[in-house]
Amino acid sequence: MKIVTYNVNGLRPRIAQYGSLLKLLDSFDADIICFQETKLRRQELRADLIIADGYESFVSCTRTSEKGRTGYSGVATFCRVKSAFSSNEVALPVRAEEGFTGLLESSHKGEGTMPAVAEGLEEFSKEELLKVDREGRCIVTDHGHFVLFNIYGPRAQSDDTERVLFKSNFYNILQKRWEHLLRQGKRIFVVGDLNIAPTSMDHCDAGPDFENNEFRRWLRSLLVGCGGHFTDIFRAKHPDRNDAYTCWPQSTGAEVFNYGTRIDHILCAGPCLHPDSNLPSHDIVNCHVLECDILSQYKRWKDGNSFRWKGEQTVKLEGSDHAPVYASLLEIPDTPQHSAPSLSARYNPKIHGLQQTLVSMLLKKQAAEGSATCKISNSFSSGNDVLGNCSQGLNGSFDNGDLSGLLPGESCSSTNIETEDSLLKTEESSGGGYSEEAPCNTLITHESLHTKTLPENETRKRVRRSSQMSLKSFFQTNSVISNVADSSNANSTINKADTSESNPIEIPRSDTHITDSGKYLEENPDQSHINASSVEREKSGVALLEWRRIQQVMQNSIPLCKRHKEPCVARVVKKQGPNNGRRFYVCARAEGPASNPEANCGYFKWAVSKSRHN
């Protein structure tokens, strides 16, 4: 049996990276896969995110509405099984529980059963227990021979007293639950990102007081070497391995020089499964754990990358900022026949993709019905389009193709509806039926003999999307206006009768151009091509020169770091305090050991900014 723990740093990007959830899970070739930091909210759960063929899934999402905590954490456990029913596979849990306090959803509670505090936690109030369980940081699965805790431990800065207290309460309550299970003779596996590096060997830059941190002391107190019940399986198998890290800062390129920390763990406690388990040489690690290691192939920075880190500006690394850790187990016998517990995602009707919502049903119906398109019997000049506004009543259904208010000579036939938004927006405004009077824009194309009908607000929306000027167009504006004006004076004749309000607008011939003012310009095709080419070259030259000038000004204002004499990168202080929002410059090289001349030199300089009072 193989168990994998992996902080995915967002489940959706990891699924996108591998193409599907199934491909991501299969890449580990493991029986139990535990993800942390899924960043999924309960209302965002979809079948394609948490359900895969051949796996039973158990998910916990954040339940708090606290600012900055919604959709922040989340854990998920996936169990590879051949059958979810009447199975004796160890990977299929006998029971499952969301959270670890007993107050959230659990598979062993009957219908209508009131939540009850888990055994061993009676000394804590329900408010204390619910607070530590609301952030979606734990899934417990009972596999018969052992109980598995999938944990995403809280992170707390030393100066954030509120989060330090939360983290302390979280682990204090969790330890009480573990101790109670051990007293009952249970075997326990604890896997996940605990956000704690236990010793100096597990951190790249450990100072003299590193191991005096209260949470590091707490984690070491759980271990057998310090009088506790748990074994750090990785250290038991690799006691002298240095630079064995599982997490690296995202913004500093620390993976380049393996400058990280080991905070993802697999711990275990309890007796072995042999009859003579009380013998001194018998314990769960010596008898049942074959190997435990870090899956370095999942690191974002691959060995042999040819490009150099430059302050994250030009480097986009695909993957999580953590590496998975796995443990291989031996001689784990089958369990009595059982089926997937009720907490499995397969039984959750709220997961999108299992139960149809009203909106999804309407969208599917709409896609099946199709849209109305119009064929134009009138003939127009070749190669010209006319954009007109019309107000047409939609009487009846699209199925019958009954549309009124069209121009004479137009016939309608029912085909696929092009946009899904139009149906939803029309339903919202009319209480579920079609709008009787729907303003629209009709684009009539002579070559294709099609009309594309769009709601008026949809047309405005598309116009707004393209209304933002690009940097190149900003520098082109003046040159375009001047060239059009010159071309107008030299090659055009203005017919005022064509632009009068009393006469209809004539459709210009194919060799006629329309100016911004609405006038028609007739010009020689060869001369037009020459003028357009010269105008394009002039516009490109002006934009290029201006962009180079801006780049030079920006480059001159960026300081050079002291060691490498290279341009620094600008960053902004995000931490709350007097310097919040202030810009500063640092060395652009990847973070690494100070002894490595190729690593970040530690250069720092505040950006010069004008006082707000000036």
Side-chain angles (χ1 to χ4, degrees), residues 26 32 72 100 105 156 231 241 289 291 305 343 365 472 495 539 583:
D26 285 347
I32 302 175
Y72 165 72
F100 57 90
E105 196 170 351
T231 299
R241 186 190 292 184
V289 178
E291 182 57 285
N305 281 356
L343 195 65
K365 180 180 178 183
K472 183 176 180 181
N495 188 343
K539 290 189 292 186
R583 290 169 59 84

Side-chain angles (χ1 to χ4, degrees), residues 35-219:
F35 289 156
Q36 300 89 42
E37 203 173 355
T38 57
K39 297 183 180 180
L40 294 176
R41 296 182 295 175
R42 295 174 69 83
Q43 60 268 33
E44 295 172 338
L45 295 181
R46 301 196 313 266
D48 61 320
L49 296 179
I50 61 171
I51 295 179
D53 291 339
Y55 294 86
E56 290 300 303
S57 52
F58 306 87
V59 182
S60 179
C61 302
T62 178
R63 295 167 178 255
T64 182
S65 58
E66 184 181 348
K67 185 178 179 181
R69 299 292 166 190
T70 58
Y72 165 72
S73 52
V75 294
T77 299
F78 296 88
C79 304
R80 184 173 64 181
V81 295
K82 296 177 181 178
S83 174
F85 306 100
S86 301
S87 172
N88 55 9
E89 298 171 86
V90 181
L92 182 66
V94 177
R95 286 177 291 274
E97 177 184 345
E98 182 180 5
F100 57 90
T101 65
L103 296 180
L104 301 184
E105 196 170 351
S106 174
S107 62
H108 59 266
K109 296 172 184 174
E111 285 289 331
T113 303
M114 293 296 291
V117 175
E119 294 181 3
L121 304 182
E122 293 83 4
E123 62 183 276
F124 302 99
S125 67
K126 286 190 176 181
E127 289 73 19
E128 289 178 299
L129 298 177
L130 282 174
K131 187 172 183 179
V132 298
D133 244 357
R134 279 177 180 154
E135 293 189 3
R137 295 184 175 275
C138 181
I139 280 284
V140 184
T141 50
D142 186 345
H143 296 266
H145 299 303
F146 59 86
V147 180
L148 178 69
F149 284 77
N150 178 5
I151 300 291
Y152 177 41
R155 182 173 179 267
Q157 298 286 352
S158 57
D159 57 349
D160 189 343
T161 55
E162 182 179 352
R163 293 304 293 178
V164 168
L165 180 60
F166 176 87
K167 186 172 183 176
S168 178
N169 291 336
F170 181 91
Y171 282 127
N172 184 29
I173 296 172
L174 194 56
Q175 182 179 358
K176 294 290 184 181
R177 179 75 189 272
W178 294 338
E179 290 174 349
H180 179 77
L181 291 174
L182 290 173
R183 284 195 296 269
Q184 292 181 327
K186 300 284 187 180
R187 302 170 192 87
I188 300 176
F189 278 84
V190 177
V191 307
D193 174 8
L194 302 185
N195 262 309
I196 304 174
T199 67
S200 299
M201 185 184 294
D202 302 308
H203 195 276
C204 61
D205 188 24
D209 295 328
F210 181 82
E211 295 188 0
N212 290 331
N213 176 274
E214 62 172 299
F215 298 111
R216 296 187 182 98
R217 292 199 308 269
W218 170 82
L219 182 54

